[in-house]
Amino acid sequence: MINNQVVKGGFKTSALLMLALTGCQTVNTNLSAPSERVPDAQPAIFIGKAPTVDDLQNYHWQLSSVNAYPNSTNPPPSDHLKPQIDNHKVTLDFTQNRISYSVGCNRLSSGYRLQGDKLQASTNAVTTLMGCGSLQQSETWLAQQMHSDSQLSMMIMSWQTHAMLQQTLADGIALIWDGILKPEVKYGKGETVFLEVKPKWQYCDNVTDRKCLEVRDIHYDTQGLKTAVGQWHLLDAPIINYRHDESAQRVLRLTRYRTPPTDTKGYGSLYKLDSVIETKTLAK
């Protein structure tokens, strides 16, 4: 008999990797058994290995679910955290010396130490200072989890392009992270480019209803002065970490990775947003 309480996100877990997770309530999985006392819920079993620092920093991690005991001393604030999980907003990244995370508002980071499968983050966190409204409770909760000692177990799958990471806290709460291999690891070093993006989406062709961004290349010299502007064209390629809206025209600093066409659904390039360096808001 296994009973779990789970705050679920968008992660689909293989039955070979984890025991079946229940829904958001305690459920008796053996319906034919006689009535008996239901024991405390146990977190789902995860079969993996202790990760190395390189393993952790090779992936961009998105929280997919939270497994918790019913009597956990610090349960997750599911009302506000679950929508962020469902929308892949709760993220985690490692570098050689620092860990950073977010619930979709501020970005918090601190130093950390990894010894075997034990993760210990410094309590001196650095954070941006945006007001988070209803997300404040979720942000505080995640910070408390990340700055508590935890145990890590990792499994790499799908030709190393995806991975799963279970982070188990002392009170039994387990954070399940879905890892996507970073493009700089998969494709090698990219090149820095600048694209100006028009506000309005355009149809990519006359056959489908796919929409593309209308962009043009911008070139700068070593002093940061604009030296050349390209022709407007449709960009039929993804931009990682960029969410477009039609309220403004922007200039983006991007890293471009050359990719095999079969690896990116026909695209020859993959772009990752570094920063927005210019914004021109449209007149209302």
Side-chain angles (χ1 to χ4, degrees), residues 82-94:
K82 184 180 183 302
Q84 297 302 100
I85 295 175
D86 292 342
N87 291 313
H88 313 294
K89 294 288 190 180
V90 187
T91 61
L92 172 67
D93 286 285
F94 292 83

Side-chain angles (χ1 to χ4, degrees), residues 147-258:
H147 292 282
S148 299
D149 292 350
S150 58
Q151 183 177 14
L152 302 182
S153 182
M154 178 178 174
M155 177 167 283
I156 298 174
M157 349 174 253
S158 301
W159 297 279
Q160 298 189 338
T161 59
H162 288 79
M164 288 196 305
L165 179 69
Q166 176 167 295
Q167 181 181 7
T168 305
L169 286 302
D171 67 351
I173 288 178
L175 309 181
I176 309 299
W177 301 90
D178 181 14
I180 301 172
L181 192 66
K182 293 178 179 178
E184 58 266 32
V185 178
K186 187 175 183 180
Y187 302 116
K189 185 178 180 180
E191 60 176 330
T192 298
V193 297
F194 297 87
L195 290 182
E196 185 172 6
V197 183
K198 281 189 175 181
K200 300 296 183 182
W201 288 98
Q202 302 293 334
Y203 286 105
C204 298
D205 52 55
N206 296 322
V207 179
T208 68
D209 59 358
R210 291 187 308 110
K211 291 187 176 181
C212 291
L213 295 174
E214 189 172 3
V215 305
R216 63 179 177 181
D217 292 282
I218 305 292
H219 299 275
Y220 299 90
D221 62 18
T222 56
Q223 304 300 317
L225 300 176
K226 188 180 297 185
T227 58
V229 177
Q231 297 295 315
W232 289 106
H233 63 278
L234 297 181
L235 179 67
D236 193 2
I239 301 178
I240 298 171
N241 297 336
Y242 178 62
R243 177 170 294 184
H244 184 70
D245 69 70
E246 298 185 336
S247 66
Q249 187 157 312
R250 299 175 176 86
V251 176
L252 311 179
R253 175 190 165 104
L254 306 167
T255 301
R256 180 169 60 197
Y257 303 92
R258 296 300 185 184

Side-chain angles (χ1 to χ4, degrees), residues 4-8 21-27 78 82:
N4 286 306
Q5 286 195 330
V6 179
V7 179
K8 285 191 175 181
L21 304 180
T22 66
C24 294
Q25 59 183 346
T26 300
V27 178
S78 58
K82 184 180 183 302

